Amino acid sequence: MKKYIIDFKVSSNKAMGNNAILLKLRAPGQLPEMKPGQFVEVKVENEPNTFLRRPISINYADYKNNEIWLLIQKVGNGTRKLGELQTGDTLNCVIPLGNGFDTSAVKDKKVLLVGGGVGVAPMLMLGATLKAEGMTPTFLLGARTQSMLLEQELFEQTGKLYVTTEDGSLGEKGFVTNHSILEKEHFDKIFVCGPTPMMKAVAKYAKNNNICCEVSLENKMACGLGACLCCVTETQEGHKCVCTDGPVFNINDLTWQI
Amino acid sequence: MADLTTHIGNLTLKNPVMTASGTFGFGLEFADFVKLDEIGGIIVKGTTLHKREGNPYPRLAETPMGMINAVGLQNKGVDYFVEHTYPQLKDIDTQIIVNVAGHSIDDYTACAERINTLEKINAIELNISCPNVKEGGMSFGTSCPMVEKVVGAVRKVYNKTLIVKLTPNVTDIAEIAKAAEHAGADSVSLINTLMGMAIDAEKRKPLISTVTGGLSGACVKPVALRMVWQVAKAVKIPVVGLGGIMNATDAIEFMLAGASAIEIGTANFIDPAITVKIAKGIDEYLERHGFKSVKDIIGALEV
């Protein structure tokens, strides 16, 4: 997939729960072709402690309005600076990067999309893509508490939504792997993005039940292009770049002890 | 348009902008952003005799105006390069230069000999800043006798342009450069990364798996510039300058300090199209100041 360096214009920057923002960015021309699970590298301007670009997964691609959405949790200087962006500001992005989720063999299959925290971000675009192909995706999203669940309404509009919260304020109480849907229904494929302990727990469930499972990793990254070899993860075939061989990996290719 | 042609020994570059090893992959990774044949030279990822897995993750820490890396020369080995990568590079109309690294003199010479057979590779950059296990953990690049030994050995088996990449982690880099020149190097390039360290105070842990690593980026530029200046005065062979070059002005400063060509490293991560922008910026500077050739600014610093 061809990659571009694009100056996007901020069309809106909305504060969300869980210390997150939703940035909607408009391309000057047509949006490039991109796949769910891919990411962009954004350049943070005027922030002296932010030297490198920030890899951010694509939350949604709105081809009608030539907009991409980025759901960003403010965790450091760079992401906090992105939180200050105003409508009309420019944001330089390298796009699209990474391999994306493998949706080639999911037609007419039951797929489960699991997201935790800000890791729900790529699941919206993945779900919307599957929906556009005539499928009904099932989402299982986890949050610490109700106010921290992001984009609940959009997920409800896109597929069947199940929720867990650690305090029981919304959906079932506990972690995603405790949800009763996993007992009641059988899934053919699971896609996961979220904190590593959560992804490992879901991967373990998938492995025990012989379900194909893909996880999206977020290792620390510099170039995003497979050049610097900083973001590697251990795989069955040695070190691989999360930015180009990933960020999405089949759990069988990783060396996770699960 | 001014004449941007420059020379590193027998090697002719169409412009002085090259890419620093390890920051530009094999060039192909950047083909969507720049026309590779508009770059003066592409120095590809450090290559060793045998495949190396490199260091464990995490390998990267961001620091003020820079970054520390500890990749550890992950590469697929020289055989893989010759069989699989070289065929994809040989028809690009620019100088492709292989960065050769090793852990023993035999490793360096075997790797250089293999590269010597490749018709379209006209130069190697010898990376002598790796720990030398056989010599008790001392780096090849930090003592003059060791520099002479390894450069001399490679010189015997490699008959095209030999650039020696120097580490800045030494007491007197000019003495090291002179040793490389004496042993037959056609050029020296500097600086490789500065040894640095980053800590997560909250977790009381180092930020990279190897604790210490190589610092690069804008923050190292003043040190690099000073070293290029010192080395250019000390040797007669051409000097290639690198270290924190982020834009055309930075590149020009290195040339004024005495560099015949420059390398762009970490800046490639921030703007994947920076190389050709810098080449264009150098041309604009030459036009603006009425220079006909880029050679007119090499070492043109008025002190």
Side-chain angles (χ1 to χ4, degrees):
Chain A
M1 226 169 244
K2 191 170 158 57
K3 299 182 273 286
Y4 300 85
I5 305 170
I6 299 176
D7 275 333
F8 284 89
K9 285 269 183 251
V10 176
S11 31
S12 66
N13 182 359
K14 186 180 159 199
M16 309 285 276
N18 203 7
N19 204 25
I21 55 162
L22 177 62
L23 270 183
K24 294 190 179 180
L25 305 171
R26 183 168 298 214
Q30 219 176 352
L31 273 188
E33 189 193 345
M34 58 194 103
K35 280 175 65 179
Q38 288 191 302
F39 66 97
V40 303
E41 280 259 47
V42 305
K43 194 174 171 200
V44 182
E45 304 281 0
N46 306 317
E47 211 304 298
N49 290 311
T50 306
F51 182 66
L52 299 166
R53 285 178 182 264
R54 290 291 180 267
I56 310 278
S57 70
I58 302 167
N59 180 217
Y60 186 69
D62 177 356
Y63 287 96
K64 243 185 263 169
N65 293 307
N66 289 316
E67 278 185 355
I68 56 163
W69 299 4
L70 305 180
L71 186 61
I72 302 166
Q73 192 159 36
K74 293 184 278 182
V75 289
N77 294 325
T79 44
R80 267 195 294 274
K81 193 75 189 174
L82 293 174
E84 294 170 13
L85 284 171
Q86 305 280 323
T87 301
D89 284 351
T90 299
L91 191 64
N92 185 271
C93 298
V94 182
I95 180 174
L97 300 171
N99 58 353
F101 295 105
D102 180 7
T103 56
S104 59
V106 298
K107 192 87 184 140
D108 305 320
K109 296 276 174 66
K110 275 208 73 155
V111 293
L112 179 67
L113 283 58
V114 185
V118 76
V120 303
M123 293 306 160
L124 184 66
M125 178 161 168
L126 177 59
T129 306
L130 297 175
K131 190 186 177 194
E133 288 169 11
M135 300 171 63
T136 307
T138 303
F139 298 104
L140 173 56
L141 307 183
R144 209 168 296 160
T145 183
Q146 179 173 11
S147 62
M148 290 187 176
L149 182 70
L150 299 164
E151 298 184 320
Q152 185 184 343
E153 272 181 35
L154 290 167
F155 282 106
E156 281 167 347
Q157 291 162 19
T158 311
K160 268 190 277 181
L161 175 63
Y162 299 92
V163 174
T164 59
T165 49
E166 286 173 38
D167 63 359
S169 53
L170 186 71
E172 293 185 14
K173 185 173 175 172
F175 296 113
V176 286
T177 37
N178 305 129
H179 200 283
S180 59
I181 188 72
L182 297 177
E183 299 292 323
K184 284 186 223 145
E185 290 195 37
H186 172 78
F187 295 96
D188 302 300
K189 183 152 188 176
I190 303 178
F191 298 99
V192 200
C193 184
T196 304
M198 187 205 88
M199 290 200 288
K200 283 189 175 170
V202 177
K204 189 174 180 182
Y205 166 83
K207 199 176 167 191
N208 290 341
N209 291 279
N210 212 14
I211 302 169
C212 177
C213 179
E214 289 182 13
V215 294
S216 179
L217 306 185
E218 52 165 22
N219 285 12
K220 247 186 211 172
M221 206 173 272
C223 70
L225 302 168
C228 68
L229 311 184
C230 286
C231 66
V232 293
T233 187
E234 289 276 2
T235 73
Q236 301 292 351
E237 295 167 12
H239 281 138
K240 283 196 170 182
C241 283
V242 167
C243 65
T244 45
D245 294 310
V248 179
F249 290 89
N250 189 299
I251 56 165
N252 295 329
D253 295 335
L254 297 173
T255 56
W256 285 358
Q257 303 295 317
I258 44 174
Chain B
M1 188 174 161
D3 180 10
L4 292 178
T5 314
T6 187
H7 293 92
I8 305 295
N10 289 329
L11 191 74
T12 303
L13 305 177
K14 62 174 81 174
N15 67 59
V17 179
M18 297 195 282
T19 60
S21 175
T23 66
F24 206 66
F26 294 97
L28 306 164
E29 294 87 341
F30 288 72
D32 283 344
F33 310 111
V34 288
K35 287 184 183 138
L36 297 175
D37 57 10
E38 290 181 4
I39 300 172
I42 297 173
I43 305 181
V44 302
K45 174 71 190 164
T47 301
T48 49
L49 184 59
H50 303 294
K51 178 184 160 103
R52 282 178 57 94
E53 271 298 310
N55 292 321
Y57 180 84
R59 297 174 166 184
L60 162 73
E62 190 179 43
T63 56
M65 296 310 280
M67 60 175 271
I68 295 176
N69 90 81
V71 173
L73 284 172
Q74 179 182 324
N75 79 100
K76 291 178 175 163
V78 71
D79 287 339
Y80 185 93
F81 176 81
V82 170
E83 284 155 34
H84 301 278
T85 314
Y86 174 67
Q88 298 178 67
L89 305 178
K90 67 183 176 51
D91 295 324
I92 301 170
D93 182 21
T94 182
Q95 296 289 359
I96 305 288
I97 297 165
V98 180
N99 180 281
V100 171
H103 282 267
S104 69
I105 288 181
D106 292 345
D107 278 8
Y108 278 110
T109 53
C111 194
E113 260 184 300
R114 199 77 215 279
I115 304 293
N116 200 35
T117 63
L118 302 176
E119 192 198 338
K120 298 283 180 72
I121 308 277
N122 295 319
I124 58 171
E125 182 181 61
L126 201 66
N127 180 353
I128 56 165
S129 44
C130 291
N132 170 13
V133 179
K134 276 189 183 172
E135 296 287 338
M138 198 172 69
S139 278
F140 273 108
T142 54
S143 97
C144 292
M146 283 307 298
V147 170
E148 294 218 24
K149 219 165 153 183
V150 66
V151 174
V154 171
R155 181 73 286 175
K156 279 199 194 100
V157 299
Y158 190 76
N159 56 27
K160 295 187 253 185
T161 303
L162 173 59
I163 305 166
V164 178
K165 187 170 184 176
L166 306 180
T167 168
N169 305 304
V170 293
T171 311
D172 185 351
I173 198 165
E175 287 302 314
I176 301 284
K178 280 199 268 188
E181 180 181 41
H182 187 246
D186 296 305
S187 168
V188 286
S189 58
L190 61 143
I191 60 172
N192 205 325
T193 53
L194 280 155
M195 282 280 271
M197 183 166 163
I199 290 175
D200 183 332
E202 294 302 315
K203 294 180 180 157
R204 292 181 288 282
K205 297 244 182 209
L207 277 167
I208 51 175
S209 68
T210 51
V211 185
T212 60
L215 178 67
S216 66
C219 60
V220 308
K221 194 192 88 172
V223 178
L225 201 54
R226 180 266 293 180
M227 290 188 165
V228 165
W229 163 246
Q230 288 178 324
V231 167
K233 284 194 298 183
V235 297
K236 292 187 184 71
I237 52 176
V239 174
V240 177
L242 71 148
I245 298 177
M246 304 301 293
N247 52 50
T249 308
D250 291 342
I252 290 157
E253 290 171 17
F254 276 81
M255 298 197 75
L256 292 171
S260 295
I262 53 99
E263 296 178 18
I264 312 296
T266 308
N268 289 307
F269 304 158
I270 293 146
D271 181 358
I274 192 70
T275 41
V276 294
K277 286 181 192 166
I278 288 179
K280 200 176 276 178
I282 294 172
D283 183 43
E284 281 164 12
Y285 174 89
L286 297 174
E287 292 271 321
R288 188 153 51 82
H289 288 268
F291 292 115
K292 287 200 172 62
S293 163
V294 74
K295 287 177 184 154
D296 297 338
I297 65 165
I298 298 170
L301 184 70
E302 296 167 17
V303 184

